[in-house]
Amino acid sequence: MATTRRPGAYHCGIDAAMDVISGKWKVLILWALAEQAWRFGELRRMLPGVTEKVLASHLRELEADGIVHREEYDEVPPRVEYSLTPRGATLNAALEPLGAWGREHVIGSVSEHSGPMP
């Protein structure tokens, strides 16, 4: 599945990647789906503060970009699960160094200082 092209030209690969993960909750959705598939309600509980509308919108966008797979099961009651595609797994792997940087330079710095960072 090809990534959905958004209006405007990308200037570099980082610009294109940031377009795919833009939005407050997308990176956290990727983090939640890294270990296993989740149902919509489970994802919502894992991400306190996200609204149903925003979560549904972000999941649709990630699905359109080939990052998230939506599986519908023919059961009563209906069941839908979301999981990472292979493309989504590679995106998560690409984000790991960024997370390590944040833990070392932001979270670690906050815990080392008693006051706000200069």
Side-chain angles (χ1 to χ4, degrees):
M1 177 180 263
T3 299
T4 304
R5 181 80 177 162
R6 281 145 177 109
Y10 296 121
H11 301 287
C12 66
I14 292 175
D15 185 24
M18 292 303 292
D19 193 26
V20 172
I21 60 170
S22 66
K24 179 178 180 179
W25 300 100
K26 285 186 181 177
V27 174
L28 294 175
I29 292 168
L30 292 173
W31 168 79
L33 294 175
E35 295 298 318
Q36 68 181 59
W38 294 101
R39 295 175 74 169
F40 184 87
E42 294 169 327
L43 277 172
R44 185 148 184 246
R45 283 188 293 278
M46 290 179 73
L47 306 171
V50 69
T51 65
E52 277 190 36
K53 180 180 177 180
V54 169
L55 180 57
S57 172
H58 282 347
L59 285 168
R60 278 193 301 274
E61 290 172 13
L62 290 167
E63 183 181 10
D65 287 334
I67 305 300
V68 168
H69 173 71
R70 182 179 189 269
E71 182 74 31
E72 294 183 43
Y73 295 91
D74 190 22
E75 299 175 353
V76 177
R79 178 170 58 113
V80 176
E81 288 185 347
Y82 296 90
S83 61
L84 289 181
T85 63
R87 176 182 280 183
T90 63
L91 178 56
N92 248 359
L95 291 171
E96 285 177 11
L98 186 60
W101 185 91
R103 284 188 300 278
E104 181 179 340
H105 296 284
V106 179
I107 295 171
S109 297
V110 171
S111 64
E112 293 172 7
H113 301 290
S114 58
M117 291 179 51

